[in-house]
Amino acid sequence: MSTVLPGNEVSASAECPNRNAEDVLLRLPARVATLGEGMTIRRALPNQGKRMIGAWCFLDHAGPVDVSHGDGMRVGPHPHTGLQTFTWMVDGEFFHRDSLGCEQLIRPGQVNLMTAGRGISHSEESPAQRSPLLQAAQLWIALPNDKRHIAPAFEHYPELPRNQQDGVNMTLLVGEAFGEKAPTRVYSPLLGMDLRSDGIASTQIPLRPDFEYGVLVLTGSAEVAGETLLPGELLYLGQHRQTLSLHFPEATKILLIGGEPFAEGILLWWNFIGRSQAEIESYIRQWNAGKDFGEVRGYPGERLRAPELPAGMRFRGEAT
Ligand code: MN
């Protein structure tokens, strides 16, 4: 899902430092693209107003969309470095293949977590036998400098801790909450939680004051810390909060993400995260030469080509 918006990501974290203000409430509109077959992608991170929340550095919300006709969703083989891709399936299915030889169908309520480390390639496609409705969130988690060259890995998590409180159903995707710890293996202090109501509901959940947080509505609507929120906007909540009050006036699904502010500068280009322009250029060159990223077998289509950096382009505020 990383390659579907027109244009490419060019961002260096030093261009727009993370904010650490108290009681921040920042509305971050997602960029929206409509692909073939009416597939809507809303990209909430990176955002002009906020590049990252904790180590969460990328957030796409795809669908809900009817994929009962045509090919559905298809993203051909492409590489990643320096990050983990995190897929949360809300409706429908995806089929994952990667250069480690992993093949995995993911269904609603499940997580796929792919650790790129020093390099991996993968593809994602709608299976031939599928549900009519597709909806998913795909996020990227930046790996800290001392972990970004680890061996690539792929993990599928079919079961995650669940809790119910005040008519709100919670699934813990990453980190710790309601006395449980998610099994998902991440490398910095993070939280990811899916919260749903079938109708009107209100609740409060405890937050960690050292974490920064953001909320995205997937479907329905919510009042988050008193702010009305609809799909298409990420509400950034900053740090130093003890609790979060949530009100759902209707059947609603939201995603809460959080983490310790990520202290390192990163460079993001296309599907790569690196620390220097030379490193990014090397990733582009190696992938386009068919080196270093293995081979994805069995995907019915072409591998994607890494776009070159524009001539004369320099990352400003380059990370070191
Ligand atoms: Mn990808």
Side-chain angles (χ1 to χ4, degrees), residues 2 78 80 122 124:
S2 55
H78 61 279
H80 288 286
H122 75 142
E124 289 163 302

Side-chain angles (χ1 to χ4, degrees), residues 53 56 59 86 88 139 170-174 176-177 190-196 204-208 211-218 224 229 234-238 241 243-244 246 248 253-259:
I53 295 178
W56 299 106
L59 170 51
F86 183 97
W88 171 235
L139 300 97
M170 307 174 185
T171 307
L172 183 59
L173 310 179
V174 176
E176 295 178 38
L190 279 184
L191 178 82
M193 201 191 296
D194 178 284
L195 300 102
R196 300 178 183 196
Q204 285 218 334
I205 57 169
L207 299 181
R208 276 179 59 162
F211 275 23
E212 56 181 345
Y213 292 93
V215 172
L216 187 75
V217 174
L218 299 173
V224 182
L229 199 62
L234 176 67
L235 185 66
Y236 177 61
L237 297 160
R241 290 174 186 271
T243 59
L244 181 61
L246 297 167
F248 302 123
K253 296 174 183 159
I254 71 168
L255 206 54
L256 170 68
I257 60 172

